[in-house]
Amino acid sequence: MRRLISVLLVFALVFSGCSKEEVIRYDLVICDNSLSEVSEFLNSFESETYIVETADFASLNADEILAVYRENIKSVNSITVYSENISDETAAAFISFAEDAKVPVIFSIADMSAEVLESYDKAFSIKTDYTHAAEMAAEKMTEYWKKHIILDSDDNLIFKFAVVKDAELSADMQDFLDTLIADIELYGIPMQLSETVISDDISSAEELEELKHENEGIIVISDGILPLIAEYSAENDGVEIITVTNNTENDFSGDFTVLNCFVDYTQYKKAADELVDNYNNREYLLNDISFPYIEKAIYIPATV
């Protein structure tokens, strides 16, 4: 009798192992191919449980991007989307997929309406605190100006600045620009915005230098002309050019008169990983996040 029970136990264990195949769950990461440096960084982490998909958000809609994953939706553990130019419609499609999968969806480097984010309790956004970055930039600019002789081109004690920006700015970038100009005035520098130039109209380093010669400084809110800034020769007459970019380091730190406010994009992944860890541990989401959290948005720091 004892031998029969042992045999039955062995059969029960064998059949229980065969009847329920283990499902490998994975975190799905979808990155806009325009963010080439970010996608290259994310690809280095790709594995059986961390799948990175690079997609063309300009020509594909979310349903086309997600179609292949719908067939095995129960394997998806989380979705993280990296895109600077995501529309509310595209974001809503990702949220719908996440709701069906009953998993969190995280949007990074994105600018979408609060209504879309609020439509699903497990939808979150990772943003940069550009307002704080602007405050830091304004402080560094004015500190530098007060310690050095500033070239005032027309001797009227008003320092003219030009702004070079993309034709359309995200709400975050516009907040940065507005805060920076307002804070410079608060720090006691009489600053006058002389002109705003669309980045597509600047085609050479010479044109950038010409713009600088007509002003005491330039604020650049565009990654597109960063190669031109690399060719620029600073004149050491103040903080000449301020740039804002997503990067891993300050590309212009060797020349202090070119001040770069940058966002370490590796922090986006760190914040997303912390959020997903909360979910995997079945803790209340955001129970253990090392970044500031305000109204469904996790804020990563910017560096000057």
Side-chain angles (χ1 to χ4, degrees):
M1 182 68 177
R2 186 174 298 172
R3 185 180 176 187
L4 178 61
I5 292 173
S6 299
V7 171
L8 289 173
L9 282 173
V10 169
F11 272 104
L13 289 171
V14 169
F15 280 108
S16 66
C18 295
S19 61
K20 189 175 181 181
E21 185 178 345
E22 184 180 355
V23 176
I24 297 175
R25 294 178 65 83
Y26 58 86
D27 297 307
L28 175 60
V29 179
I30 300 177
C31 184
D32 195 327
N33 62 7
S34 65
L35 300 169
S36 56
E37 198 170 357
V38 178
S39 62
E40 185 178 341
F41 167 74
L42 295 171
N43 280 330
S44 65
F45 296 93
E46 191 160 33
S47 67
E48 191 177 36
T49 57
Y50 189 86
I51 294 178
V52 180
E53 178 84 32
T54 302
D56 184 357
F57 278 71
S59 61
L60 294 174
N61 61 44
D63 288 333
E64 289 177 294
I65 296 170
L66 291 168
V68 66
Y69 300 101
R70 276 205 174 273
E71 298 175 5
N72 198 20
I73 196 170
K74 290 184 179 179
S75 296
V76 179
N77 182 65
S78 71
I79 306 168
T80 306
V81 181
Y82 292 82
S83 175
E84 286 183 300
N85 302 305
I86 194 168
S87 67
D88 279 359
E89 182 181 4
T90 300
F94 279 111
I95 287 174
S96 176
F97 182 95
E99 280 189 287
D100 293 342
K102 298 180 175 58
V103 299
V105 56
I106 307 155
F107 298 95
S108 294
I109 323 179
D111 186 30
M112 70 188 72
S113 69
E115 290 78 13
V116 172
L117 208 58
E118 289 292 338
S119 67
Y120 179 45
D121 65 329
K122 294 185 181 68
F124 300 91
S125 174
I126 301 176
K127 304 169 77 72
T128 300
D129 191 349
Y130 282 113
T131 300
H132 183 231
E135 292 169 355
M136 290 191 294
E139 185 175 6
K140 282 193 175 290
M141 284 177 67
T142 51
E143 282 177 1
Y144 189 77
W145 281 342
K146 288 172 182 176
K147 290 179 181 178
H148 298 77
I149 298 173
I150 308 171
L151 177 63
D152 181 13
S153 57
D154 50 13
D155 297 320
N156 64 355
L157 297 180
I158 295 177
F159 302 99
K160 293 184 298 183
F161 260 69
V163 170
V164 179
K165 70 182 191 71
D166 292 333
E168 295 184 9
L169 285 184
S170 69
D172 283 336
M173 287 297 195
Q174 190 62 55
D175 285 345
F176 173 88
L177 183 57
D178 295 342
T179 303
L180 179 64
I181 294 174
D183 281 9
I184 288 172
E185 294 173 348
L186 285 176
Y187 279 114
I189 298 293
M191 174 180 168
Q192 179 181 346
L193 180 60
S194 65
E195 58 182 314
T196 298
V197 180
I198 301 303
S199 56
D200 290 343
D201 296 333
I202 302 289
S203 58
S204 67
E206 288 74 22
E207 290 182 8
L208 193 65
E209 290 197 33
E210 183 179 343
L211 189 62
K212 169 59 181 70
H213 290 152
E214 296 169 356
N215 296 275
E216 275 74 60
I218 306 172
I219 299 171
V220 176
I221 313 290
S222 171
D223 284 348
I225 65 170
L226 292 185
L228 303 183
I229 294 173
E231 300 174 20
Y232 175 79
S233 300
E235 297 177 354
N236 299 306
D237 59 354
V239 179
E240 301 188 354
I241 298 180
I242 300 170
T243 67
V244 186
T245 184
N246 286 291
N247 210 325
T248 53
E249 59 185 354
N250 190 335
D251 291 334
F252 309 111
S253 58
D255 192 345
F256 187 68
T257 54
V258 178
L259 181 64
N260 182 24
C261 306
F262 69 98
V263 181
D264 183 352
Y265 61 71
T266 64
Q267 296 296 296
Y268 286 108
K269 182 181 184 301
K270 184 172 186 286
D273 286 349
E274 289 188 8
L275 205 161
V276 173
D277 284 345
N278 271 247
Y279 174 77
N280 290 341
N281 294 331
R282 292 178 171 78
E283 298 177 9
Y284 182 76
L285 289 176
L286 310 177
N287 210 28
D288 184 24
I289 296 289
S290 57
F291 300 89
Y293 171 66
I294 305 170
E295 296 178 358
K296 303 198 78 178
I298 300 169
Y299 284 87
I300 65 172
T303 305
V304 177

